[in-house]
């Protein structure tokens, strides 16, 4: 019987959209429709389960799913012993403490003796214990941001992305407890065949994400400037230099990090580079 890896994914929301986008770019596609909770990939030995995000850590821990993509916040809150295989770099947010906008914040000691509403009591307990804060934690399943306004709590501890929800409820963010992003987690008891499939998937993820953070660059340079320009473009190993039909000129090809894009472009122009072309990379195999 062929081995299939089962992956748990959030059944809706931004994390699902980001996860499916990465899988699709890695040529791992699912036939999804009509509220299906299970879907098989047509070109890769993997099956998807679509679950509530807070059910994913337990599902992977118990072996119902072999791996899962989940928010780091949910993984830490549930506390199951899983392998964090890869930080995925998307669906980023932060877990923060927020208080009414009209209150004067004096530091983390402000929370001593206060009641704080949250959907993440375990993470908050650890934070308060570390800071030696004695606060009452009130667990709420949803709509945490309304708790101060209806007199249920003095403050909240919740996910913050843009901060617009806080503003809409007359709250202000006063302390970031942790930053979170999507992580790929795995059951610690995967057999060798399933680990091999997981490794193949990770290889594809790496190729996609490396291409997202790098650009292919082509430029023309006078031969007496090639050495200086090559020093600016380290590339994956070293830039490729090819002679042009016009005497005294060469074409230089390389890969640059998107983070250093403008810095590198300015240096190239200052060293005589012309006809600079920047091309997206579809996949990048390191």
């Amino acid at each position: 019987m062929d081995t299939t890896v089962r992956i748990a994914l959030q059944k809706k929301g931004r994390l699902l959209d980001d996860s499916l986008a990465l899988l699709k770019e890695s040529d791992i596609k699912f036939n999804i429709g009509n509220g299906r909770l299970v879907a098989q990939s047509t070109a890769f030995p993997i099956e998807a389960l679509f679950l509530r995000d807070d059910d994913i850590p337990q599902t992977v821990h118990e072996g119902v799913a072999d791996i899962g993509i989940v928010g780091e916040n949910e993984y830490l809150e549930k506390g199951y012993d899983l392998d964090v295989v890869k930080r995925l770099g998307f669906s980023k947010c932060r877990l923060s403490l927020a208080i009414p906008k009209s209150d004067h914040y004096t530091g983390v000691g402000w929370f001593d003796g206060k009641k704080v509403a949250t959907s993440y009591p375990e993470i908050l307990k650890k934070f308060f214990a570390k800071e030696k804060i004695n606060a009452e934690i009130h667990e709420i399943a949803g709509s945490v941001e309304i708790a101060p306004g209806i007199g249920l709590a003095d403050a909240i501890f919740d996910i913050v992305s843009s901060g617009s929800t806080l503003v809409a409820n007359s709250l202000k963010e006063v302390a970031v407890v942790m930053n979170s992003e999507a992580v790929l987690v795995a059951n610690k008891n995967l057999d060798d065949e399933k680990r091999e499939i997981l490794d193949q998937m990770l290889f594809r993820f790496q190729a996609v994400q490396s291409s997202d953070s790098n650009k292919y660059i082509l430029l023309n340079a006078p031969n007496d400037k090639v050495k200086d320009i090559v020093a600016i473009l380290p590339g994956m190993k070293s830039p490729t230099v090819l002679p042009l039909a016009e005497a005294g000129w060469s074409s230089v090809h390389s890969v640059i990090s998107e983070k250093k894009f403008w810095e590198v472009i300015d240096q190239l122009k200052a060293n005589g580079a012309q006809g600079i072309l920047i091309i997206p990379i579809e996949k990048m195999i390191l």
Side-chain angles (χ1 to χ4, degrees), residues 33 35 38 43 67 71 171-172 194 205 224 234 244 262 265 273 277 279:
V38 181
I67 60 177
L171 299 172
K172 59 184 178 183
K194 289 184 177 180
F205 284 2
D224 62 348
L244 291 178
W262 290 113
I265 294 300
L277 297 178
I279 302 172

Side-chain angles (χ1 to χ4, degrees), residues 13-284:
R14 182 166 64 104
L15 180 57
L16 173 63
D17 295 340
D18 290 342
S19 300
L20 290 177
L22 175 59
L23 288 161
K24 184 177 179 181
E25 284 293 310
S26 304
D27 200 27
I28 302 173
K29 304 170 186 175
F30 298 98
N31 294 321
I32 304 169
N34 300 321
R36 293 176 62 185
L37 299 180
V38 181
Q40 184 74 37
S41 173
T42 56
F44 196 79
I46 192 167
E47 180 182 64
L49 298 181
F50 298 98
L51 308 169
R52 284 168 46 99
D53 58 345
D54 54 358
D55 288 335
I56 292 175
Q58 181 178 0
T59 302
V60 175
H61 176 72
E62 293 179 352
V64 177
D66 302 300
I67 60 177
I69 296 178
V70 65
E72 186 178 9
N73 53 302
E74 289 293 348
Y75 159 67
L76 292 175
E77 175 64 25
K78 298 306 178 184
Y80 289 103
D81 188 18
L82 304 171
D83 285 333
V84 178
V85 180
K86 184 175 177 60
R87 302 178 70 86
L88 297 173
F90 56 74
S91 295
K92 293 184 177 182
C93 63
R94 57 193 182 274
L95 267 65
S96 295
L97 287 156
I99 67 174
K101 190 180 295 185
S102 58
D103 286 9
H104 177 60
Y105 184 64
T106 55
V108 72
W110 183 94
F111 293 96
D112 205 45
K114 298 290 198 302
K115 181 183 289 187
V116 184
T118 184
S119 299
Y120 299 94
E122 296 305 318
I123 295 174
L124 186 56
K125 283 177 189 175
K126 291 177 182 177
F127 175 75
F128 279 160
K130 178 183 175 183
E131 298 293 332
K132 297 181 173 55
I133 299 298
N134 182 23
E136 181 181 347
I137 297 174
H138 189 83
E139 185 175 358
I140 298 178
S143 301
V144 174
E145 64 277 359
I146 69 170
I150 62 175
L152 189 61
D154 301 299
I156 69 166
F157 174 61
D158 202 14
I159 289 176
V160 178
S161 293
S162 66
S164 59
T165 301
L166 296 181
V167 172
N169 287 275
S170 297
L171 299 172
K172 59 184 178 183
E173 183 179 8
V174 294
V176 177
V177 172
M178 67 166 287
N179 291 297
S180 177
E181 65 182 273
V183 292
L184 178 65
V185 296
N187 183 281
K188 285 183 170 289
N189 299 313
L190 290 186
D191 61 35
D192 291 343
E193 289 180 307
K194 289 184 177 180
R195 287 201 177 275
E196 184 176 350
I197 293 170
L198 175 58
D199 287 343
Q200 292 173 14
M201 186 173 73
L202 288 170
F203 177 79
R204 295 189 184 194
F205 284 2
Q206 185 62 41
V208 169
Q209 293 184 322
S210 293
S211 68
D212 288 343
S213 60
N214 291 279
K215 302 294 182 185
Y216 192 77
I217 182 169
L218 301 88
L219 60 88
N220 298 329
N223 287 343
D224 62 348
K225 293 290 187 178
V226 166
K227 185 176 180 180
D228 293 335
I229 286 173
V230 165
I232 298 169
L233 294 170
M236 290 160 50
K237 285 194 175 178
S238 65
T240 299
V241 180
L242 301 171
L244 291 178
E246 183 178 348
W249 284 80
S250 294
S251 175
V252 181
H253 300 216
S254 190
V255 173
I256 61 173
S257 168
E258 192 166 36
K259 292 180 181 178
K260 297 183 177 180
F261 176 80
W262 290 113
E263 175 187 345
V264 169
I265 294 300
D266 290 340
Q267 292 181 49
L268 293 173
K269 290 174 64 180
N271 280 275
Q274 298 180 12
I276 301 171
L277 297 178
I278 308 297
I279 302 172
I281 300 172
E282 184 174 341
K283 301 290 186 295
M284 186 169 166

